Amino acid sequence: MSCPGQSSQKMEVSVASRDYMHRLPDTGGSLSRPASFSRRWHIDVPLLTLLILLCGVGLTVLYSASGGETHYVRRQAVFLCIAFVAMFVAANVPLDMYRRWSPWLYVAGCGMLVAVLFVGVGAKGAQRWLEIGGFRFQPSEALKLAVPMSVAAFLHRRTLPPSFITVLGALVIVAIPAALIVRQPDLGTSILIAASGLFALYLAGLSWKMIGGAAVALVASAWPIWQWGLRDYQKQRIMTLFDPDADRLGAGWNIFQSKAAIGSGGVYGKGYMQGTQSQLDFLPESHTDFIIAVLSEEWGMRGALLLLLLYVLIIARGIYISFMAQHVFGRLLAGSITLTFFVYVFVNIGMVTGLLPVVGVPLPLVSHGGTSAITLMAGFGILMAIGTEQRRVTF
Amino acid sequence: MAHDLHLKDPLIEQRLFRNRMLVALAAVVVLLGVLVARFYNLQVVNYDDYRTQSDENRIQVRPVPPTRGLIYDRNGALLADNRPSYTLSIVHERIRDMDGTLELIGRLVQLDDADVKKFHQRLQRRRPFEPVPLRYRLTEEEIARISVNEFRLPGVSVEAELVRYYPQTDLFAHSVGYVGRISERELEDFSEEDVRRYRGTQSIGKVGLEKSYEDVLLGEVGFENVETNARGRVLRVLERQDPQPGSELTLHLDARLQQVASEALGENRGSVVAIDVKTGGVLAFVSKPSFDPNLFVTGISVKDYKALRDSIDVPLFNRAIQGQYPPGSTLKPLMGLGGLAAGVIDRQTKVRDPGWYKLPNDTRLYRDWKRWGHGKKVDLIQALTESCDVYFYDMAHRWNIDGMHDMATRFGLGARTGIDLPVERPGLFPSRAWKRGARGMPWFPGDNLNAVLGQGFVLATPLQLAVMTATIANRGTHYKPQVVMAIDGVEQPPEVLHHIEARPEHWDLIFEGMESVVYDTHGTGKKAGADLDFRVAGKTGTAQVVGIAQGEEYDSEALKERHRDHALFVAFAPVDDPQIAVAVLVENGETGGGVAAPVAREVFFDWLSRPFEDTASVLPGPVQPENGGIRG
């Protein structure tokens, strides 16, 4: 059977689809319409609309956060354009190809992580970048997609719920890059990448007994980890969480100021470009990790809830796509990407509002930063590839 | 695997996935609820607290110090001015790395260890977010270098501040005094109210009028709410309550007369005090040597201070109110009046003066200053004219100390005059009670003889002698001496302490005797009246120098010089309608008539004979013409 995206056979397709309409009423409705641009290029229109809205909000807040200067806004706009291109490309790669190529992507990613440990360049005491011909990039970004993809591909071929051996195999896939990234050191990214792999494993049907056992083990190891596993600055960040007022001008400064910014915004906010905390530089990192404090200060709780609503809709669309996916690989990958996206949102907002310790997680698609935007949009491209795959495989 | 026999079942797998996803979805909803609750908690429940916090962040209440009141002489010549000075200050709360910041500043402006040490002391007692001064008196080049590097120096600012400037330099150091930085000790003594009033003000009056009129000169502090950014840079003023400037003082002092009196003293150490007879206003107030009060305003250097403190001439010592000297024969007119009033002597009383006096039943000779005496029949007029000691010995013997003490006290001796300057010394006129208390001894007849000649225990400041003379010139009306004539243009009324009752013919006799001192061929103070077109009445005096402070090494020449008698002269003029009374003291000047009297003459001439328009021409400093014309 031919695919409706192929224009040379347009007439036959419309005739052929009419037969299917009677047999498959729930999937066939859309097939009766002529192939649109979005369908032809595997674009999920609701998701794209939401993403564009989100990026628009992001640029608007970024303009205020950089004090009315266009420098960051222009840079970010360029990044976002590249990111949308990445999304578009990712959406048009056949899903099978992701599945078949994921082991190679994974191996290449881990290889680069090893390379980073030896020849990486870095800043502030961490080696995170590889530099090739003057071009810098962060291999850990690639792993953000490669890890859930590999786990999903690995589980795709196994019977589910996964057996113990299968779980062990998946855990190894997750553990290798996570360990390498911890060494950089970049604990935050490492945890997020591990989480994306574990989400796939969880969605595949990891037994509750194992989950419970892992939770017990985690609680039991909390003390040893605190004692020997964490560095001083990490411990301080956690302590700051519980008592931000203890050291207002030191470690607690960021949280103290971001809470003051958000709280002083109230329900209606101080007005766009009117936030005293952000405009007068009291708020640190206002255009990157702490940008939601700018939004909450200037647009108040109304603005913060509207932004949350945007994220919720994106996540809902992701979950919907995962529900509709026909195969295990797509299903697990879509679920993992969506849940990881939510974790980004939750960790960032939790951190800025003082619920979680300060870890360097940007607010997805709103914080200034190129690499994370590109990775995220590539992820959404994969999501679209999964979302449009169902029709492809229906025939 | 061999035992892994069950096949992949897409439907089961899908259902499994959906269940798992629904659980995850529930978790997502719960966590979203946590975030929403958090926003609600921050932005609604605790809104007021965070609003306050963010306002406290950006809004600071800054004190606006008032400008200190200016001080003018009676003709409007400016004696104390305010000039801008630039200070480098640091807000400690905004500095993350103090040592690094200080090091960087040290490369931009000149900064010595003393500056840094004092800065750290000031840090200890700062108020939160208050700029603490690091370096005063920045040059324009230094200001430029700081502002170019502003971005590297968050929390560092250059602040313009008005500081005191004394355009007449050393001429009024002992009367106007000076301000200095508020010291640790002064700050400890501050009341709550003082702490409020001095917010933003860094200077306080230390000596002279600056100290005694501190409350009036200070003014009332204002406040402004300013919005600052995180680096402490002020962006705008939200609200402002203006400070009220301190009051202006107009003095009785006359800058030109002061200049003349100071020049008349020449290189001598000593003091000249001139008083307006009709009001008690102090017209000239000289203590020499003097010093430049500007040195003290923003903190004197250790080297400069040591030089002033250790100088053998003690320039910081205010001779006019702190120097207590034996008044010597300048007391004779007062004592004569007392003797007349007590009936001990009268106009006809005549005494034989062989050059010495002997008490009955005593072998000790009390010598007259003139070896062979003043003659066989010395009366009061001659005794004043020639300063005959034996006449007064005789009178004192027949009189008593109680009467003398009473008379001296009524003319203001032995007690502070109450002048509006700080740290005045009281001098001393002895009494029986005093001697019993202080020395544990009874009063001897010989003590009478010392007291009447202003020697022995008797001590007086030049100011007291001037007040005494003015009271004689007034025929008994004793005014309290005052330096300040008006505060903010409101005249301070003259204050009469009391009136000394005496018969007019007795005053006439004293006037006649004092006039004769200046005009009689045998008069001891003839130089006081030379070439004047009005009549002067006066009295000379010399005071023996008792001793030199121990433990100081002076070369023999200087030592010899400092063992000479002090020269004194008191006088008033014109005799027919007294306007001005003067007391002159020249340390180690030896003869009152030769050294002190000419100084008085210059003062009289300038005050009573000079053309008024010349006021400005002699002054070293600027003159405010709009205030001119106040002239007593």
Side-chain angles (χ1 to χ4, degrees):
Chain A
M1 274 291 151
S2 61
C3 171
Q6 287 170 299
S7 54
S8 59
Q9 297 173 333
K10 201 187 276 178
M11 285 308 288
E12 293 162 59
V13 166
S14 57
V15 172
S17 57
R18 242 178 239 135
D19 297 338
Y20 277 94
M21 274 177 66
H22 302 289
R23 287 182 227 168
L24 296 165
D26 36 347
T27 53
S30 59
L31 295 177
S32 62
R33 277 180 241 126
S36 64
F37 174 86
S38 62
R39 192 103 62 74
R40 189 184 307 158
W41 297 106
H42 303 283
I43 299 296
D44 186 283
V45 176
L47 188 55
L48 183 67
T49 311
L50 291 170
L51 290 173
I52 289 173
L53 266 176
L54 182 62
C55 291
V57 170
L59 288 177
T60 313
V61 179
L62 185 61
Y63 179 70
S64 172
S66 35
E69 302 240 356
T70 55
H71 170 74
Y72 284 120
V73 179
R74 277 182 288 143
R75 256 172 72 106
Q76 183 72 356
V78 171
F79 284 139
L80 288 176
C81 288
I82 298 171
F84 273 101
V85 170
M87 181 206 76
F88 185 77
V89 170
N92 285 282
V93 174
L95 201 56
D96 263 3
M97 205 183 272
Y98 284 117
R99 188 164 56 79
R100 276 185 273 115
W101 283 89
S102 63
W104 303 110
L105 198 60
Y106 176 83
V107 169
C110 289
M112 285 192 292
L113 285 180
V114 173
V116 162
L117 291 182
F118 294 104
V119 296
V121 290
K124 295 181 190 169
Q127 287 192 338
R128 293 175 187 174
W129 287 275
L130 269 187
E131 200 170 62
I132 300 169
F135 179 72
R136 272 188 173 193
F137 73 104
Q138 237 176 314
S140 56
E141 287 295 327
L143 270 301
K144 283 181 181 170
L145 294 174
V147 167
M149 214 183 275
S150 308
V151 175
F154 176 73
L155 294 170
H156 180 79
R157 282 174 280 132
R158 305 291 188 280
T159 46
L160 299 178
S163 68
F164 185 71
I165 300 294
T166 308
V167 170
L168 274 189
L171 287 179
V172 169
I173 293 174
V174 171
I176 292 172
L180 287 170
I181 294 168
V182 167
R183 299 270 301 175
Q184 287 182 354
D186 188 351
L187 185 64
T189 308
S190 171
I191 289 175
L192 287 167
I193 285 175
S196 66
L198 295 176
F199 282 141
L201 188 57
Y202 159 79
L203 292 171
L206 180 66
S207 78
W208 290 111
K209 278 183 201 158
M210 281 185 169
I211 294 171
V216 169
L218 197 68
V219 170
S221 62
W223 173 247
I225 286 176
W226 174 263
Q227 202 64 7
W228 296 290
L230 293 180
R231 287 156 197 261
D232 279 346
Y233 79 93
Q234 293 168 329
K235 286 187 200 176
Q236 196 174 19
R237 282 178 178 181
I238 294 171
M239 289 313 291
T240 302
L241 180 67
F242 296 112
D243 190 10
D245 295 346
D247 184 13
R248 272 192 195 185
L249 294 164
W253 169 266
N254 291 14
I255 287 304
F256 175 81
Q257 296 297 358
S258 73
K259 277 161 69 180
I262 296 169
S264 64
V267 176
Y268 304 105
K270 297 177 184 171
Y272 186 56
M273 306 279 293
Q274 303 293 311
T276 55
Q277 290 285 105
S278 30
Q279 302 300 331
L280 302 178
D281 300 338
F282 287 102
L283 190 65
E285 305 288 337
S286 62
H287 62 276
T288 55
D289 290 358
F290 283 76
I291 196 162
I292 186 143
V294 179
L295 182 145
S296 310
E297 182 186 21
E298 299 189 343
W299 292 344
M301 197 164 86
R302 289 187 304 186
L305 293 186
L306 269 172
L307 184 78
L308 272 185
L309 182 66
L310 261 182
Y311 282 122
V312 166
L313 290 175
I314 290 170
I315 289 160
R317 186 68 189 170
I319 291 174
Y320 172 80
I321 288 172
S322 75
F323 270 31
M324 292 301 148
Q326 297 289 310
H327 290 297
V328 173
F329 175 71
R331 200 182 284 151
L332 296 184
L333 186 53
S336 169
I337 288 173
T338 307
L339 290 182
T340 309
F341 180 74
F342 171 73
V343 169
Y344 279 104
V345 173
F346 182 78
V347 168
N348 176 272
I349 298 180
M351 158 184 109
V352 176
T353 55
L355 290 174
L356 297 174
V358 176
V359 286
V361 174
L363 187 64
L365 298 177
V366 176
S367 286
H368 177 259
T371 28
S372 97
I374 292 168
T375 316
L376 282 162
M377 290 301 270
F380 284 115
I382 294 172
L383 212 55
M384 290 181 183
I386 297 165
T388 49
E389 175 74 5
Q390 47 175 316
R391 284 146 210 153
R392 205 195 309 244
V393 297
T394 304
F395 301 101
Chain B
M1 291 280 174
H3 56 272
D4 195 2
L5 285 174
H6 38 265
L7 298 167
K8 275 178 84 72
D9 183 338
L11 266 179
I12 289 179
E13 284 180 5
Q14 189 171 21
R15 198 176 304 138
L16 188 62
F17 173 83
R18 289 194 177 190
N19 286 340
R20 286 306 169 95
M21 195 43 133
L22 286 175
V23 172
L25 191 59
V28 166
V29 168
V30 168
L31 291 177
L32 277 171
V34 169
L35 289 187
V36 171
R38 183 59 171 171
F39 277 113
Y40 183 79
N41 174 272
L42 291 176
Q43 300 191 294
V44 177
V45 178
N46 293 315
Y47 167 73
D48 289 336
D49 288 352
Y50 288 115
R51 180 93 212 182
T52 310
Q53 264 177 26
S54 100
D55 282 348
E56 277 173 3
N57 256 343
R58 74 187 171 101
I59 298 173
Q60 277 163 45
V61 180
R62 296 204 319 178
V64 186
T67 45
R68 198 172 173 83
L70 301 179
I71 301 178
Y72 298 101
D73 91 333
R74 65 190 302 120
N75 298 312
L78 194 54
L79 306 185
D81 194 5
N82 299 312
R83 292 197 170 174
S85 165
Y86 295 89
T87 304
L88 184 71
S89 297
I90 294 182
V91 176
H92 180 258
E93 280 76 4
R94 307 229 184 265
I95 303 288
R96 301 252 168 134
D97 172 17
M98 182 59 87
D99 291 336
T101 304
L102 290 180
E103 203 246 305
L104 178 56
I105 292 173
R107 274 185 275 143
L108 298 172
V109 305
Q110 199 205 325
L111 203 62
D112 52 39
D113 291 345
D115 290 327
V116 176
K117 199 178 148 215
K118 279 188 181 167
F119 170 71
H120 282 292
Q121 285 171 359
R122 289 187 203 109
L123 269 189
Q124 301 304 313
R125 52 183 172 84
R126 73 182 193 281
R127 303 169 191 94
F129 285 95
E130 184 186 57
V132 179
L134 172 63
R135 244 293 307 277
Y136 296 109
R137 279 174 295 190
L138 294 176
T139 63
E140 295 208 352
E141 197 192 328
E142 286 173 327
I143 295 169
R145 255 179 286 162
I146 290 290
S147 50
V148 164
N149 288 282
E150 200 179 78
F151 68 98
R152 294 160 72 190
L153 295 166
V156 175
S157 59
V158 173
E159 301 186 347
E161 176 201 11
L162 286 175
V163 297
R164 217 39 160 179
Y165 176 70
Y166 303 101
Q168 316 274 355
T169 63
D170 60 350
L171 197 52
F172 290 91
H174 288 294
S175 45
V176 171
Y178 56 81
V179 298
R181 297 296 176 192
I182 299 171
S183 73
E184 203 95 12
R185 187 183 297 177
E186 283 160 339
L187 204 72
E188 278 167 18
D189 290 347
F190 270 6
S191 66
E192 292 267 302
E193 173 65 7
D194 289 338
V195 170
R196 188 192 66 78
R197 289 186 68 197
Y198 283 87
R199 283 211 62 181
T201 299
Q202 292 170 351
S203 298
I204 190 168
K206 299 282 185 179
V207 301
L209 294 173
E210 293 277 24
K211 184 181 171 81
S212 53
Y213 284 86
E214 174 65 23
D215 275 354
V216 176
L217 289 167
L218 175 63
E220 184 58 38
V221 65
F223 289 93
E224 61 184 13
N225 289 333
V226 293
E227 186 178 81
T228 63
N229 65 11
R231 285 182 295 281
R233 194 84 55 235
V234 174
L235 301 176
R236 61 193 167 119
V237 176
L238 303 173
E239 200 189 336
R240 186 181 159 102
Q241 187 197 333
D242 286 327
Q244 287 178 351
S247 301
E248 282 180 11
L249 299 185
T250 306
L251 309 186
H252 284 287
L253 289 174
D254 182 305
R256 180 176 143 163
L257 188 70
Q258 178 89 358
Q259 176 87 357
V260 165
S262 178
E263 278 171 7
L265 265 183
E267 293 301 304
N268 290 310
R269 298 176 304 280
S271 173
V272 180
V273 179
I275 288 184
D276 180 351
V277 168
K278 300 282 164 72
T279 63
V282 178
L283 304 174
F285 188 94
V286 177
S287 172
K288 284 187 91 171
S290 188
F291 58 93
D292 183 358
N294 292 306
L295 290 174
F296 288 88
V297 173
T298 51
I300 189 168
S301 72
V302 175
K303 183 170 139 273
D304 287 345
Y305 185 67
K306 271 183 100 168
L308 286 175
R309 188 192 60 191
D310 298 342
S311 164
I312 181 178
D313 293 331
V314 281
L316 296 178
F317 182 59
N318 192 340
R319 287 168 165 79
I321 53 173
Q322 291 175 301
Q324 303 184 110
Y325 305 88
S329 301
T330 57
L331 286 195
K332 279 174 182 162
L334 181 157
M335 288 299 162
L337 183 74
L340 290 169
V344 182
I345 53 169
D346 60 24
R347 186 170 190 138
Q348 274 73 44
T349 306
K350 291 188 175 65
V351 169
R352 195 178 78 92
D353 173 14
W356 48 267
Y357 182 79
K358 217 161 92 176
L359 284 169
N361 314 318
D362 194 347
T363 52
R364 183 177 165 186
L365 286 183
Y366 291 84
R367 294 207 163 272
D368 195 289
W369 68 271
K370 202 168 175 187
R371 191 155 183 197
W372 308 113
H374 294 274
K376 289 186 176 167
K377 291 177 177 177
V378 180
D379 65 358
L380 178 60
I381 300 297
Q382 192 191 348
L384 288 172
T385 308
E386 301 178 14
S387 200
C388 171
D389 294 339
V390 170
Y391 181 93
F392 285 93
Y393 288 148
D394 176 67
M395 184 192 87
H397 173 60
R398 292 190 287 119
W399 202 9
N400 58 55
I401 183 60
D402 308 310
M404 284 191 265
H405 178 260
D406 178 55
M407 203 64 193
T409 305
R410 283 204 266 169
F411 279 88
L413 298 180
R416 291 183 178 84
T417 63
I419 190 173
D420 43 358
L421 285 173
V423 290
E424 186 191 5
R425 310 269 310 257
L428 177 67
F429 198 92
S431 66
R432 289 179 205 276
W434 172 83
K435 197 180 175 195
R436 214 177 298 117
R439 301 291 160 102
M441 285 199 280
W443 191 261
F444 298 125
D447 292 335
N448 276 8
L449 307 195
N450 275 325
V452 82
L453 285 199
Q455 287 175 358
F457 305 119
V458 185
L459 292 172
T461 63
L463 175 69
Q464 284 175 323
L465 297 182
V467 171
M468 171 192 81
T469 310
T471 307
I472 292 170
N474 256 330
R475 294 177 178 251
T477 304
H478 183 171
Y479 283 102
K480 185 163 138 183
Q482 275 180 196
V483 182
V484 172
M485 179 161 70
I487 298 174
D488 269 341
V490 178
E491 294 245 2
Q492 301 300 102
E495 191 179 337
V496 176
L497 293 176
H498 55 257
H499 187 80
I500 298 161
E501 292 300 335
R503 287 155 65 182
E505 58 265 36
H506 291 166
W507 288 116
D508 289 344
L509 257 182
I510 299 302
F511 272 46
E512 191 187 330
M514 288 177 77
E515 195 177 352
S516 165
V517 166
V518 179
Y519 295 102
D520 190 273
T521 44
H522 296 291
T524 51
K526 280 184 290 191
K527 286 183 176 173
D531 303 324
L532 294 177
D533 51 9
F534 50 86
R535 303 283 283 183
V536 174
K539 184 67 195 79
T540 55
T542 49
Q544 285 164 3
V545 173
V546 182
I548 294 284
Q550 296 295 309
E552 311 226 16
E553 286 179 28
Y554 303 135
D555 61 81
S556 57
E557 202 58 33
L559 194 69
K560 226 166 150 188
E561 202 254 0
R562 274 157 212 272
H563 270 123
R564 291 181 194 150
D565 291 346
H566 295 324
L568 291 141
F569 187 71
V570 299
F572 60 87
V575 175
D576 49 1
D577 178 22
Q579 304 285 336
I580 178 172
V582 177
V584 179
L585 167 102
V586 181
E587 282 185 7
N588 315 116
E590 287 194 294
T591 64
V595 179
V599 175
R601 188 257 166 211
E602 295 304 314
V603 172
F604 289 140
F605 173 75
D606 188 72
W607 187 248
L608 297 169
S609 300
R610 71 171 166 189
F612 178 57
E613 304 79 54
D614 277 4
T615 307
S617 59
V618 244
L619 287 178
V623 167
Q624 304 280 320
E626 69 268 25
N627 273 17
I630 307 172
R631 169 90 196 261

